[in-house]
Structure formats: structure tokens, C-alpha cells
Amino acid sequence: MHTALLLASTLLALLGGALALGALRHLRGWGRRRHLQLAVLCAPALALGVGLGGIAHFSGRACFLGAPRWDQALAVALPLGMGALALGGLGLGLVRLALLSRVVARGSRPAGPELAAGVGRLATGLGVAPPRVLLCAYDRPLALACGLRRPAVLLSTWMVEHLDRRELEAVLAHELAHVARRDYLAVWLATTLRDAFCYLPTSWAVYRQVQREKELACDDLAAGTTGRPLALASALAKTWQGARGGPRFDGAPSLASADEPIEGRIARLLAAPRPALAAEGPQGGAVARSGTAGLLGLLLFEAANLALVLATMGCGPVAALGGLR
């Protein structure tokens, strides 16, 4: 029964994630989609909390000691194993963050005043504070927004040397869009949650959505800010071509990697896409409210499930039973 409680909680989190993935097919608005995606990634923490809380609640109680030995063993081993995986995912995320910060600090230098001034103008158009602009001596395409407390835009010297002025402006606008959306924080959190709950297929599915949609959202913002979607499409093509056959920068996702299918992104830019997902329509707001209500309903159902199972177990302290003898 104790093992069934943990498994039921995990299955409920999995079911809630699957329902949210279905709702995402109809949800408009990049921001609202990401909020729901991050909620799905966080949902397994509820099942983990139920499992770990169950160990503290059942220890030394008659209902636990009276359970079969296999139930006792699994009721302890499963939540502890899930907790170990979660701690491992968190530790891996912190290691990634530390390594990226070290690489950026040691291998980069501040950009020149002309590049910094261009970033300042673009940042004003996006309504964000101008971040630091850093250059690294790297003969491969590289452009990314990094940092948590102090965001920075990192460019390789290849980007400055191989892109023309308008293409470079489009790339900078794209990376500033990541800063405006705080993608550097959202992606780090999504990656950490994916690793913490890697045993759930919904975690991987939602993580892939977060990674793909952040690029599309920033493409739309960059094209709207510069008014030159063709320049960004040209920069994407050059970057993808330059990245083929060379080493990858694994510290953080860059503008376009060699193994990423970018044909869809370029086609959207060439077709001058309307910012359909950038604004919230009545239907998008209704689905978002439905998704939020669904997650709250899942939380209430989880609490009811926990209360019902505990009530049927009749858990009482062992000491109380000893006094009845």
C-alpha cells in the first residue's frame, strides 16, 4: 500500500504532464506556453515530496511495520532513489553553470565600443537593460546569451569576421531577445529538471519543446525589432554552414548548431511570419486558464489521494499500540 501511494503519485504527475502536452497544441503565446511547460517539468517534484514525506510519516508507525517486507523495502528505496536522482540532476546543473561561467570568464574579452553601442540601441528597442557584450577568440560560429544574475551576450570572432553588418545586427537582436525572455535562466532550470526526473518521458518531451520554441520566439522578436527577417535568415544559414564538420561548443546552446534542422526557422523568416504566438488571443487565454486549472486540479487530486490512503491505513504510533498491551 505504501509503494502504491508513491507509484500513484508518480503516475498522476505523468498523466498531468501528458494532459498539459495536449493542451499545448492549442495554446497561443510563447510566454504562456513556457509557463505551462515549466509547470509540467516541476510536477514530478510533487510525487517526490509525497514519497519522501511518506518515509518521515510512516517511520515507527504500526501501519508501516505491519506491511509486507517487500512493501517496506520499496516504500523506502523508491523515494530515496528518486531523491538521489533529483540531487544528481541539481548537482549536474550547478556543475554546468560553473563550467560555463569559468569558460566565459577566462576565454572572453569585452567587445569594442561600436559593437556595444549597437547592442545598446537594440536593447532599447526590446525594452531591456543593455547586457555585457563579450568576444571570444574562436574560429567557429558561436553566439549565445549566458549568465544568471548578470546576463551577457557572447560572440565568437568568427561571427564578427564572416557576417555583414545587417546579419550581425540580426544575430545580436536574437540573442538580446533571449535576454529579454530570460531564456538563459529558463533553459538552465528546464535542463536541471529534465535531468532530475529523467525517468519520465514527459520531462524529455517538454524539454525538447522548450529548446525548440525559445529559438522560434526569439527569431520573431529579432525580426520584429530589426525589421529585417531576411538578414537573420541569411545569418542562420551562414552559421549552420560554418558549424558543419567542426567541434561543438557544449557549454550552452548557440544560435544554430550543425545537427539542428534549421530549414523550418529559415522558411518562417522568408515567409515573413506574423507574430501569431507572440500575442495572446481569447482562445489562448482560455486554454492557458484551463491548463492552470488542470494543474491545480491535479494538485488537489493528489492531496485527496494522499488523505484517502492514509485514512484507510489507520496509521497510529507504535508507542500507542504498546500502551494497549
Side-chain angles (χ1 to χ4, degrees):
M1 184 66 74
H2 306 81
T3 304
L5 175 62
L6 175 62
L7 294 179
S9 300
T10 304
L11 288 176
L12 282 174
L14 184 60
L15 175 62
L19 292 175
L21 283 173
L24 282 169
R25 297 178 182 177
H26 309 286
L27 181 60
R28 296 163 57 92
W30 295 120
R32 294 195 178 196
R33 289 177 64 85
R34 188 170 68 178
H35 291 160
L36 186 55
Q37 288 161 349
L38 291 178
V40 172
L41 288 170
C42 291
L46 180 63
L48 177 58
V50 169
L52 295 176
I55 294 179
H57 179 81
F58 293 135
S59 297
R61 292 182 179 268
C63 63
F64 184 75
L65 297 180
R69 290 189 178 275
W70 65 266
D71 195 5
Q72 295 181 29
L74 286 178
V76 173
L78 284 178
L80 289 181
M82 293 166 63
L85 281 175
L87 286 177
L90 177 60
L92 187 58
L94 293 175
V95 168
R96 285 198 193 99
L97 185 61
L99 288 177
L100 179 60
S101 299
R102 184 175 182 180
V103 169
V104 170
R106 290 192 172 187
S108 63
R109 67 179 189 275
E114 182 178 354
L115 198 59
V119 168
R121 290 192 297 270
L122 291 171
T124 301
L126 285 167
V128 296
R132 296 176 298 158
V133 186
L134 304 175
L135 283 177
C136 65
Y138 187 48
D139 61 350
R140 309 295 300 176
L142 176 64
L144 59 91
C146 55
L148 288 183
R149 291 184 303 174
R150 289 190 62 199
V153 173
L154 179 66
L155 292 177
S156 66
T157 51
W158 187 98
M159 303 293 285
V160 179
E161 294 168 356
H162 289 79
L163 300 183
D164 63 31
R165 180 179 61 82
R166 291 187 174 182
E167 291 169 343
L168 186 59
E169 180 187 50
V171 169
L172 290 173
H174 177 94
E175 298 306 324
L176 284 172
H178 283 304
V179 174
R181 286 168 38 87
R182 294 181 175 86
D183 283 336
Y184 48 89
L185 177 58
V187 170
W188 178 83
L189 179 60
T191 305
T192 302
L193 291 171
R194 178 207 63 183
D195 294 339
F197 304 108
C198 57
Y199 47 86
L200 294 176
T202 50
S203 296
W204 292 90
V206 173
Y207 173 77
R208 287 191 292 267
Q209 277 193 359
V210 170
Q211 287 283 31
R212 180 176 66 254
E213 291 183 3
K214 70 179 176 60
E215 298 301 331
L216 298 180
C218 290
D219 286 348
D220 290 349
L221 283 173
T225 300
T226 63
R228 301 188 184 95
L230 299 184
L232 180 57
S234 176
L236 283 173
K238 285 185 179 180
T239 299
W240 181 83
Q241 184 68 31
R244 295 183 61 188
R248 295 180 55 187
F249 185 86
D250 292 326
S254 185
L255 177 70
S257 58
D259 57 354
E260 177 188 2
I262 63 167
E263 293 87 352
R265 292 174 62 186
I266 293 177
R268 291 178 77 252
L269 291 167
L270 294 179
R274 295 173 299 170
L277 286 174
E280 299 292 343
Q283 180 184 3
V287 176
R289 288 190 293 271
S290 300
T292 303
L295 289 175
L296 290 176
L298 177 63
L299 179 61
L300 293 175
F301 189 70
E302 185 79 68
N305 174 52
L306 178 61
L308 178 62
V309 173
L310 291 180
T312 56
M313 287 179 181
C315 284
V318 177
L321 293 181
L324 294 177
R325 293 176 183 173

